[in-house]
């Protein structure tokens, strides 16, 4: 697999420019750009400048993060999501970024939705988004998040939706922490069931040893530092023939307190053994 850096990891102690420079220096193959950090970059730069950086660099863009709250949106929210999504499609096409990460809605009332309601809404919304994205040649990676506040939580539920959408442009972003958050990865068989052609993105991240009811994104750790069976997950993906990104995506405030260079260097060193 190829080493990737997700900009969440240093979102509060770096910039897109700095991430690009450091990731190139430490040998990352891919970067997943955050749309808010891209918007900041574009205050003083252009997409043409970003494209020209990638043309001359080893590192390449892989996936934008992320279009969120796509389910059960009010008309106002839908308008907001559509605007960001169109901006992402345009930017992706301009710099040759192939994927956009799409995240199910997080809201307190999601707990009250039945799985059938979530299935029907997700299929409808993803088909519509795929249609919008088609002219831009960008593909959508739908990412289940195990916490009960999100409406699509398990890999099984996510794959049922993706299989029903049945479009080559729609696949899954498999995030080790987000799967752990659902049921401590009790059923690793769900990973075997993902067809290779639907596996678009792998977020590789570890976490602290805490009960599920306490565990949150701030407890993510650099791969190899925690309790998630990342060797098993990575080996399953490799056995399937997956050779694309393994991207370090951490939301740990402690890492945001550090110098970005030390985090980016350490993450590269410690993640390589899983590739
Ligand atoms: Zn993720």
């Amino acid at each position: 697999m190829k080493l990737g850096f997700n900009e969440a990891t240093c979102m509060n102690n770096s910039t897109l420019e700095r991430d690009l420079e450091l990731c190139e220096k430490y040998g990352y193959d891919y970067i997943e750009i955050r749309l808010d950090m891209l918007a900041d970059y574009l205050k003083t730069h252009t997409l043409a400048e970003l494209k020209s950086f990638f043309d001359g660099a080893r590192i390449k863009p892989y996936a934008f993060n992320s279009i969120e709250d796509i389910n059960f949106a009010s008309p106002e929210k839908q308008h907001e999501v559509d605007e960001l999504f169109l901006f992402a499609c345009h930017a992706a096409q301009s710099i040759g970024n192939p994927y956009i990460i799409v995240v199910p809605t997080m809201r307190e009332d999601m707990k009250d939705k039945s799985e059938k309601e979530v299935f029907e809404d997700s299929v409808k919304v993803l088909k519509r988004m795929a249609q919008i994205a088609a002219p831009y040649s960008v593909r959508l990676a739908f990412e289940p998040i195990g916490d009960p506040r999100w409406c699509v939580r398990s890999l099984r539920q996510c794959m049922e939706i993706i299989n029903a959408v049945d479009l080559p442009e729609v696949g899954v972003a498999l995030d080790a922490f987000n799967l752990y958050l659902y049921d401590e990865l009790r059923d690793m068989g769900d990973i075997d069931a993902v067809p290779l052609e639907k596996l678009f993105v792998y977020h590789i991240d570890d976490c602290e040893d805490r009960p599920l009811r306490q565990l949150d994104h701030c407890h993510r750790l650099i791969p190899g530092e925690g309790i998630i069976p990342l060797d098993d997950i990575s080996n399953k993906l490799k056995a399937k023939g997956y050779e694309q990104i393994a991207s370090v995506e951490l939301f740990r405030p402690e890492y945001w307190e550090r110098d970005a260079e030390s985090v980016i260097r350490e993450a590269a060193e410690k993640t390589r053994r899983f590739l």
Side-chain angles (χ1 to χ4, degrees), residues 6 65 101 143 173 175 178 203 205 220 249 251:
N6 183 300
N65 286 244
I101 305 273
E143 180 167 345
D175 180 307
N178 286 332
H203 288 163
D205 21 64
R220 290 179 181 229
E249 184 192 34
F251 294 87

Side-chain angles (χ1 to χ4, degrees), residues 46-250:
T46 63
L47 286 170
E49 284 173 65
L50 188 55
K51 164 88 166 60
S52 133
F53 167 84
F54 283 122
D55 286 345
R58 180 175 175 279
I59 193 167
K60 300 297 173 204
Y62 193 90
F64 285 160
N65 286 244
S66 41
I67 303 298
E68 298 171 10
D69 295 324
I70 65 163
N71 304 92
F72 309 110
S74 64
E76 298 76 34
K77 184 71 190 173
Q78 187 66 59
H79 180 70
E80 198 184 302
V81 171
D82 282 352
E83 274 199 348
L84 183 63
F85 184 50
L86 280 170
F87 161 71
C89 287
H90 167 70
Q93 186 181 41
S94 306
I95 65 165
N97 172 93
Y99 297 100
I100 297 176
I101 305 273
V102 177
V103 179
T105 290
M106 183 200 80
R107 251 180 11 220
E108 284 306 323
D109 64 326
M110 288 302 107
K111 286 195 270 264
D112 309 327
K113 300 284 182 194
S114 71
E115 195 169 316
K116 183 165 178 286
E117 286 174 294
V118 172
F119 172 87
E120 285 169 358
D121 182 78
S122 300
V123 171
K124 184 185 75 187
V125 169
L126 287 170
K127 279 187 174 170
R128 176 178 172 271
M129 292 179 81
Q131 202 172 24
I132 294 172
Y136 300 92
S137 308
V138 52
R139 305 212 273 176
L140 310 179
F142 195 38
E143 180 167 345
I145 301 183
D147 183 292
R149 289 170 296 170
W150 274 268
C151 69
V152 178
R153 299 178 55 206
S154 70
L155 188 55
R156 173 200 54 77
Q157 185 189 5
C158 186
M159 289 314 300
E160 282 173 12
I161 292 164
I162 288 169
N163 291 333
V165 169
D166 195 24
L167 291 171
E169 298 82 13
V170 179
V172 66
L174 188 155
D175 180 307
F177 174 76
N178 286 332
L179 298 188
Y180 186 84
L181 208 48
Y182 178 67
D183 65 352
E184 298 179 337
L185 281 160
R186 288 213 174 83
D187 192 359
M188 300 270 281
D190 289 344
I191 296 177
D192 297 320
V194 179
L196 177 61
E197 67 274 14
K198 289 292 177 197
L199 183 55
F200 288 178
V201 182
Y202 172 31
H203 288 163
I204 184 165
D205 21 64
D206 223 325
C207 72
E208 294 177 21
D209 186 4
R210 287 174 184 261
L212 278 188
R213 66 179 184 282
Q214 280 182 15
L215 206 54
D216 210 341
H217 298 276
C218 61
H219 302 123
R220 290 179 181 229
L221 287 166
I222 285 175
E225 300 288 283
I227 54 147
I228 297 183
L230 292 175
D231 278 312
D232 294 346
I233 299 172
S234 302
N235 288 338
K236 278 181 179 295
L237 301 186
K238 283 186 264 186
K240 208 186 276 294
Y242 179 77
E243 294 176 333
Q244 294 305 306
I245 197 170
S247 185
V248 183
E249 184 192 34
L250 311 172

